Amino acid sequence: MSDPIEVLHTGQLDIPTEIRLARPPRSPRPNVDPEAATDIMRGLRASVETVRGIGPKMVESLANLNVHTIEDMLALLPRRYDDYTRLTSISRLVPTQNTTVIATVRRSELKAIKSKRKDLWVEFYDGTGTLHVTFFGQHYLSRTFQPSTQFVLHGRVTAFRGQPQMTNPEWEQIDPENLRQIGIVPIYPLTEGISGRTMRRLMRDTVTYWAERLPDYMPVTVLERTDLADLGWAIKNLHFPEGHDHLAHARNRYVFDELLLMQLSILATRREWQSTPAEPLPVDDGFMDEFIASVFPYSLTTAQQRAIADIRHDAAKPIPMNRLLQGDVGSGKTAVAISAMILAFANGKQAALMAPTGILAEQHYRSISRQLEATPGDRKPHVALLTSALSAADKRAVIAGLADGSIDIVIGTHAVIEEGVTFQNLGLAVIDEQHRFGVQQRGRLRGKGLNPHVLVMTATPIPRTLALTLFADLDLTVLDEMPPGRTPIDTYIIPDVKRERMYRFVEEQLEQGRQAFIVHPLVEASETIEAASAVEEYERLSQVFYRYRVGLLHGKMRPAEKDDIMGAFSHGEIDVLVTTSVAEVGVDVPNANVIIIEGANRFGLAQLHQFRGRVGRGQHKSTCFLVPDADTPESEARLKALTETTDGFKLAEIDWQQRGACDLIGTRQSGRSKLQLLHAMVPHLVDMAQREARTLFEEDPYLTLPEHRLLAERVAMLYDPEIDVS
Ligand code: ADP
Ligand code: MG
């Protein structure tokens, strides 16, 4: 986690020294009338147009930043902060570092390159040294960079013959206000039509106004237990921190609020949908034992048995189950899903299983329908597949069968519960590999008069506390045990010099009839660039493995193309599959026993673990090669963890400690789309927010006590788009 506060380098400036603050100050809560307080709070929903100095033009510009209301504006956090309190000089600039500098223009010069382009070259100084800056093709800036004017420059420092340089840095003319009033200056995301200076002025006005007036909705008892800052103070210091400690306290409060409000809202939603009853699906032990003994050719692991017991317990109640089954790749989630679906069948109800892709649905369909043939008793479940690949006639037949109840179990993609599909009586739905079965999907089912029991399954290991927060509406079961007889995957870190040896190893495996994955992922690039670079890599590897059939799978391909390639790989018509992401390769290819992961240092451990899980699915000994494209001691230590453990949860835990929650949950949509500061979701804050959410929910589930009233309003405001100020 990098410190977002930039340390500036400059000569002497008259700037206040830093103030330390061990604990956030707490002011006594003023006595406000709750009605009035609610009104003020709802004022956050007002358009930014109500802010003095913001006209229609500016409203448009702000909309580009997704800022429409006062609330959005307060939530627009600085990209970084420039710290004027910790200054050094140009003479101490370190090449290759991103740095912010305050310096004065000495002279500038236009340099014509060839015929067309004119570059602007500017020499800056700060009393300790000179810095040369080139603005490529930006000759028009020459009027701005007048001698003797002072600027803040931000960019990467390079050195040319010992002379520090910057190219196309971000720049801003010095605002003497910033120097006099505060030491740490927020740098906001900008868009056309708003300068940094204007944005800061607008923010300062808005923040000052609201920080003073906004009532703190957090119950005092919560703040006392958690030792967090007051709301107004936190808002002020989040935007215009008085010091580093202040900023840290402000952030803690902000992240805590996001986490707590999210959970309270999720818990409320859960309570809401649980208020509509579901059909109870009880079965007796005799039936279940016989079913399991006849259908599965192995005995279930203790973890699988426990999961099935949890599900039976939930589904036997007239309250809709909403359970998350977390289990590493290969932990045997399918057997649990089958056992859950049979609960519906045994009670004369239908069940559905939804997979993220058509090809996965097909794979599930094949194996599940085969296994269910062994269902004890005379009536076997009628299992059908429903994907977009079906012919129109087949599709019609399945849809009819679901409507009249002749199909018991349907396996397909998400479309199963959507377009024009009606069920005679859907008792239970399983969602595989879906991070979240959203409120929307539930709403859609409800619209069809259905409120089935829902089991969500995921192979993404998320540490328990984090999972409990993000999925507060789900009960959690973890498959923490692997079926016996797995040979662990050998994992090696491969420096570039050993690349040839690695390829030779892969060839040996291919020679013996095995198959290989080569993951060539790119991060932070557009999909188009990613595709292009994957094609390049594919061509290179086609030469390396010229004696074998090499295939390519990337995100830019059409779904049908992807399915073709994936199909060819799983049928053994392709030996080496070069791919850009794992999302595409959720399919089981037991004959593939080698995986190479390029650029491994760029990924979270949990993600790498997912990649690795593509192999080790058959009886052949499997190998995973991690090839970093840069080696820092930090990334080496991280990758080493992968060579030492195959426990996905342990890896996720390490990830969380080291890199924050970003990697683990990625860009997952939360109830509120703008869950910011993921990197600040450190374990102790998540723990704290969870504890407080549960305490509040237990004490006062409807938040009706007077001291919780504002909090209830705040939750409703954040998550209910219906509430408006007008
Ligand atoms: P995942 O959790 O990744 O969905 P699967 O359900 O696909 O895992 O199971 C992976 C493999 O393990 C399958 O081939 C399955 O037949 C096998 N399997 C599942 N449970 C057991 C068990 N208890 N004992 C032995 N093999 C099992
Ligand atoms: Mg699976």
Side-chain angles (χ1 to χ4, degrees), residues 328-330 332-334 360 364 432-433 457 459 586 617:
D328 222 328
V329 172
K333 292 185 292 297
T334 318
L360 276 170
H364 270 313
D432 190 16
E433 308 281 343
M457 307 199 293
R617 292 170 166 233

Side-chain angles (χ1 to χ4, degrees), residues 567-707:
F569 189 60
S570 66
H571 297 130
E573 292 148 20
I574 289 175
D575 303 303
V576 178
L577 185 67
V578 181
T579 174
T580 51
S581 73
V582 268
E584 263 78 55
V585 288
V587 80
D588 208 9
V589 184
N591 189 47
N593 75 332
V594 192
I595 185 165
I596 297 176
I597 305 168
E598 296 283 346
N601 51 304
R602 297 157 180 260
F603 292 89
L605 296 177
Q607 273 171 296
L608 291 168
H609 179 67
Q610 295 280 104
F611 287 116
R612 179 168 64 180
R614 294 298 122 207
V615 298
R617 292 170 166 233
Q619 78 266 36
H620 309 288
K621 174 89 191 151
S622 293
T623 310
C624 169
F625 295 109
L626 306 167
V627 190
D629 59 17
D631 51 350
T632 65
E634 187 238 338
S635 80
E636 204 180 299
R638 274 180 350 100
L639 294 182
K640 200 151 170 287
L642 267 160
T643 65
E644 285 162 358
T645 180
T646 50
D647 180 339
F649 288 94
K650 203 184 264 171
L651 292 167
E653 202 71 54
I654 299 174
D655 246 3
W656 192 22
Q657 303 286 347
Q658 292 184 347
R659 313 207 338 169
C662 302
D663 288 343
L664 297 173
I665 47 186
T667 50
R668 197 188 75 80
Q669 291 276 311
S670 65
R672 189 181 177 207
S673 57
K674 280 183 297 181
L675 185 71
Q676 292 192 54
L677 293 181
L678 276 183
H679 67 269
M681 281 171 56
V682 290
H684 90 270
L685 278 179
V686 174
D687 265 349
M688 206 153 84
Q690 199 184 310
R691 218 170 36 237
E692 293 302 324
R694 304 244 162 208
T695 308
L696 283 166
F697 204 74
E698 273 157 32
E699 272 178 3
D700 182 17
Y702 293 87
L703 298 178
T704 46
L705 292 174
E707 62 268 34

Side-chain angles (χ1 to χ4, degrees), residues 334 338 361-372:
T334 318
I338 293 173
E362 252 170 69
Q363 200 168 53
H364 270 313
Y365 169 72
R366 274 197 302 273
S367 87
I368 292 174
S369 52
R370 186 167 22 81
Q371 291 180 74
L372 284 176

Side-chain angles (χ1 to χ4, degrees), residues 298-301 304 327-335 483-484 486 617:
Y298 40 73
S299 40
L300 297 179
T301 63
Q304 283 170 319
D328 222 328
V329 172
S331 59
K333 292 185 292 297
T334 318
R486 294 282 147 90
R617 292 170 166 233

Side-chain angles (χ1 to χ4, degrees), residues 333-365:
K333 292 185 292 297
T334 318
V336 177
I338 293 173
S339 309
M341 292 195 290
I342 213 66
L343 300 178
F345 176 72
N347 282 277
K349 306 276 165 3
Q350 292 167 300
L353 186 149
M354 281 160 271
T357 66
I359 196 152
L360 276 170
E362 252 170 69
Q363 200 168 53
H364 270 313
Y365 169 72

